Structures are given as C-alpha cells and as structure tokens.
Amino acid sequence: LQIAFGIFKKKFKLNEIVDCQVEEFQLARYWGYGIRFGADKSIGYVAKGGRGIRIILKQGRPYFFTTDRPEQLLAAIKQEIAKS
C-alpha cells in the first residue's frame, strides 16, 4: 500500500497492517492540511477535509489519509490483507 502527498510517499507492507478503518478528518487533531503530526501521535496525509482511512500498524505510529472514496478503498485494502 502506498500513500502520497505531492512528492512525499509512504509505503506499507500489507503484513504490517493490523487494522484500518474509515473516520472523519478532525482539524483539531492535525491543525491543518498537508503531512501533519496529529495530537493523537498519528501521522496525517491530509489533502482536504472530509473522510479518510486510519491505518494501525504492528509497529510505529498510526497513519491517516484523506480520500474521495474511503469505503471502497477500505474494502480493497481489507481484501488484499485477507489474501496475504
């Protein structure tokens, strides 16, 4: 899985992902847009407000990124995790 904000990219191996879920972007958590450290110790790749996906990893910080179709993307990620 790869997420990006402009030229900055982050890759995850599917076997590193413990859980993922859809949630609303909270401006108070990330204090703006861009690549941000959240008040909850997560790292956000936030292009705009709205809904996104939070990824929980076996090690390291959780990641959150916004997307136009979070439910569809979540289903695809979970399907790929189940395969591996």
Side-chain angles (χ1 to χ4, degrees):
L1 176 66
Q2 178 176 304
I3 59 175
F5 189 87
I7 62 171
F8 300 99
K9 297 176 183 166
K10 177 68 179 169
K11 292 182 181 181
F12 305 97
K13 293 181 181 178
L14 293 176
N15 63 0
E16 294 176 346
I17 299 173
V18 174
D19 191 24
C20 51
Q21 58 205 22
V22 173
E23 68 178 44
E24 287 290 326
F25 165 69
Q26 297 176 9
L27 186 61
R29 181 181 292 163
Y30 294 103
W31 304 301
Y33 303 102
I35 300 173
R36 316 290 288 197
F37 289 105
D40 62 350
K41 308 284 191 232
S42 66
I43 298 174
Y45 281 63
V46 183
K48 61 180 183 169
R51 301 180 76 199
I53 296 179
R54 175 174 294 275
I55 298 173
I56 310 297
L57 303 171
K58 289 180 181 175
Q59 294 182 349
R61 297 174 183 240
Y63 281 79
F64 173 79
F65 61 94
T66 56
T67 178
D68 289 334
R69 297 184 183 124
E71 290 83 9
Q72 291 174 340
L73 185 55
L74 180 69
I77 292 170
K78 288 194 174 197
Q79 182 179 15
E80 289 300 316
I81 289 171
K83 286 181 186 177
S84 60

